[in-house]
Amino acid sequence: LLQPLLIVLAVALVFGQTVGFEFVAWDDGENITKNPYLNPVSLRSVSRFWVEPYFFIYVPVTYTVWGLLAWISELLQPGGGPMPALFHLSNVLVHTVNALLVYRLLVFFMGRGWAACAGALLFALHPLQVENVAWVSGMMHLLAGSLSLTSLWLYLLHARRAQAVASLRSRRVPYWAALGLFLLAL
């Protein structure tokens, strides 16, 4: 329990400050604040992202998450538009989950908790992660990573179960879940 807690605290200390940041003028406007499908958000407008690309990219999972965050922003601050703090906090939380997934995968492969913790901390605090966590539009990369890492974890559970469990059905559930998450990651 100490090792995952250390990872969570390290991510919170390094990236927690981004929660106070504003949206950036680069493309957060086109993706979120000026996006007519998120302002105001509706189920119908979010479903549009699953049919065709928006702003030259097809990332329906990300736009669905942004739609949910825009809806929560409207509940918390009626008429105030999307709240940057909520979007930044979401990036930090997804990155924290990714770091914990990396930790679990490293424990699975290495069997050594502190070595896995060091590897997960390297992943979590590496300077290459800053852009994805601090930039709200980087959520698409964080989600793709999270879905990919979860897919890998489920596939490894499937492989382990294939050796230990005789029931074909119980072996297939993690396999198909892994495949579905991997497809969503794409």
Side-chain angles (χ1 to χ4, degrees), residues 31 35 37-38 44-54 58-60 63-64 67:
N31 281 321
N35 185 333
Y37 300 103
L38 296 179
R44 184 172 182 220
S45 64
V46 169
S47 67
R48 182 215 176 272
F49 297 122
W50 289 87
V51 178
E52 61 186 38
Y54 176 78
Y58 182 73
V59 287
Y63 279 115
T64 301

Side-chain angles (χ1 to χ4, degrees), residues 147-158 172-185:
L147 291 167
S148 297
L149 290 166
T150 305
S151 174
L152 179 58
W153 174 246
L154 288 171
Y155 180 77
L156 292 170
L157 289 178
H158 159 75
R172 286 187 177 171
V173 171
Y175 177 81
W176 289 109
L179 180 62
L181 290 176
F182 181 72
L183 291 174
L184 285 175

Side-chain angles (χ1 to χ4, degrees), residues 105-140:
L105 288 167
L106 290 174
V107 167
F108 181 89
F109 286 122
M110 298 177 357
R112 297 174 164 239
W114 285 107
C117 182
L121 285 169
L122 179 64
F123 168 84
L125 304 178
H126 196 281
L128 287 175
Q129 301 292 357
V130 173
E131 179 180 341
N132 292 325
V133 180
W135 177 40
V136 169
S137 292
M139 172 65 88
M140 66 185 81

